[in-house]
Amino acid sequence: MEIINHEEKLDKYINKFIRRSRDFVEYAAHPYGMADLLHRGERNSKFTYDHEYFNFTKSTKTLISIKNLLGIGHNEDAIILIRSMFENYLSSRYLNENEEYIDQLVTHPLNLFAATYNVRENGEIYDRDNNKVGDLINPSAFKIGKDKAYYHLFYGFLSPFSHSNFGIADCYLNEHLMFTISKINYPLLTRFFALFVFTKIFEHIVTVEGEEFINPRTEKECYKLVEESIKYQNELIPVLIEEYKPTENKNLKHYNKRMREMLKEMKKSLKEELGSVNKDFLN
């Protein structure tokens, strides 16, 4: 019964973030850097904001898709999108603290998509005059702060769902060892992951001093939503850890230990201030 209640509560938080984020995109997420480039013909630091708003808009749309996938029990596909959303968060935070990488995260991707730049097999990026302009950056390079402690375990859990990885075959097998598309896997954990990641990107981009809100009430409610979400996650993670108790079962022993370690580090990361939300409520 407790698990069902947690699933419902997580769904409610996801819905709240969708409503707040959809509105924020409409009234605040404007590409100021691109506007300056079009009018003045020069690039400036505002592209950092463009990058954040792009990732936030993309993540909001992704969260809506995740909600729909959760509703039909396609949790494996939701996990694929959670990984994408996690990368959005990591790159946004990284560029915010390392603005000198604006070419790698903004200029180069624009040129690569337009095919004015090319990537070679070794990851080096060249322009059409055969001049090297940079290198591709792996998402693992974006982790900073307390994200470092849980990154490899979390990303390692998410990634197999994005590829043809037979390690997750059990997600598609029923009790008779027949392949099925009806099995519902990780209903609680997937919802938690979605809330965990989106709360971080919302905290990092929306609840920041100086950000524009449509009115003071909306600002207050956004801050309140982040605080309530983090409080709830802080209470929920020990419940999740209980699902992965130590065991002598050789098939679960190391897996459970890895999951416990990951969840413990994720819990610790909740205390890290990513925007302007004061985290004293966790002390």
Side-chain angles (χ1 to χ4, degrees):
M1 184 62 68
E2 183 182 26
I3 290 178
I4 294 175
N5 288 338
H6 279 303
E7 287 181 27
E8 291 175 354
K9 195 165 185 178
L10 285 162
D11 284 340
K12 288 179 180 178
Y13 272 114
I14 289 171
N15 287 333
K16 287 180 181 179
F17 272 112
I18 287 173
R19 288 195 295 270
R20 287 291 170 198
S21 301
R22 184 189 284 122
D23 290 344
F24 181 83
V25 167
E26 296 300 326
Y27 69 72
H30 307 306
Y32 296 106
M34 293 184 72
D36 280 358
L37 181 64
L38 289 173
H39 289 110
R40 302 176 186 175
E42 59 184 31
R43 191 190 68 191
N44 55 46
S45 61
K46 291 180 182 177
F47 266 101
T48 302
Y49 303 130
D50 290 9
H51 183 257
E52 289 186 345
Y53 288 148
F54 158 72
N55 277 325
F56 186 80
T57 302
K58 185 173 182 288
S59 295
T60 298
K61 197 168 184 178
T62 298
L63 187 63
I64 294 170
S65 297
I66 289 170
K67 172 193 171 182
N68 292 332
L69 289 168
L70 291 171
I72 58 175
H74 290 196
N75 301 335
E76 304 86 5
D77 296 318
I79 290 172
I80 294 171
L81 295 183
I82 290 169
R83 188 182 90 148
S84 174
M85 201 162 62
F86 184 50
E87 291 176 352
N88 294 342
Y89 156 67
L90 291 174
S91 64
S92 293
R93 185 179 180 190
Y94 187 79
L95 183 57
N96 182 270
E97 299 186 25
N98 299 274
E99 291 189 5
E100 66 273 19
Y101 284 91
I102 193 167
D103 281 334
Q104 284 85 345
L105 290 169
V106 176
T107 309
H108 294 347
L110 285 170
N111 283 285
L112 286 168
F113 192 79
T116 53
Y117 286 177
N118 286 314
V119 180
R120 297 187 177 177
E121 290 185 3
N122 59 2
E124 294 180 338
I125 302 172
Y126 283 78
D127 63 19
R128 286 294 175 176
D129 294 322
N130 208 33
N131 298 309
K132 181 181 176 181
V133 295
D135 297 278
L136 286 181
I137 303 179
N138 189 287
S140 63
F142 299 150
K143 60 186 185 299
I144 53 179
K146 292 188 180 296
D147 296 329
K148 291 180 180 179
Y150 68 85
Y151 171 84
H152 288 292
L153 293 174
F154 186 43
Y155 203 76
F157 178 90
L158 301 175
S159 293
F161 293 90
S162 301
H163 310 290
S164 175
N165 189 318
F166 203 75
I168 61 168
D170 184 63
C171 291
Y172 303 92
L173 293 170
N174 62 21
E175 65 273 20
H176 305 296
L177 293 181
M178 299 293 289
F179 282 110
T180 178
I181 61 171
S182 301
K183 188 176 182 180
I184 297 178
N185 303 284
Y186 304 111
L188 180 57
L189 195 65
T190 305
R191 285 169 167 80
F192 162 68
F193 286 161
L195 183 64
F196 175 83
V197 173
F198 197 83
T199 300
K200 284 189 177 293
I201 197 166
F202 192 96
E203 179 188 356
H204 172 65
I205 294 174
V206 178
T207 50
V208 178
E209 185 177 353
E211 185 54 78
E212 295 181 2
F213 291 89
I214 199 165
N215 54 51
R217 179 182 176 183
T218 298
E219 179 178 10
K220 183 177 180 180
E221 290 175 346
C222 285
Y223 275 75
K224 181 181 178 183
L225 178 57
V226 170
E227 182 176 331
E228 289 179 348
S229 174
I230 292 173
K231 281 182 180 178
Y232 173 60
Q233 291 176 63
N234 194 55
E235 296 168 358
L236 175 61
I237 290 176
V239 176
L240 296 172
I241 291 174
E242 278 296 303
E243 296 293 313
Y244 301 98
K245 294 179 180 179
T247 177
E248 292 304 315
N249 183 322
K250 65 179 183 180
N251 294 322
L252 294 175
K253 181 178 180 179
H254 300 294
Y255 175 80
N256 282 10
K257 181 181 179 183
R258 184 170 59 189
M259 294 298 286
R260 290 197 308 273
E261 290 175 354
M262 177 188 72
L263 290 165
K264 287 177 182 178
E265 294 300 334
M266 293 172 87
K267 186 174 186 290
K268 291 177 184 177
S269 78
L270 296 176
K271 294 185 177 181
E272 185 174 26
E273 295 185 3
L274 304 175
S276 301
V277 175
N278 189 304
K279 299 289 183 72
D280 287 346
F281 58 84
L282 288 178
N283 296 328

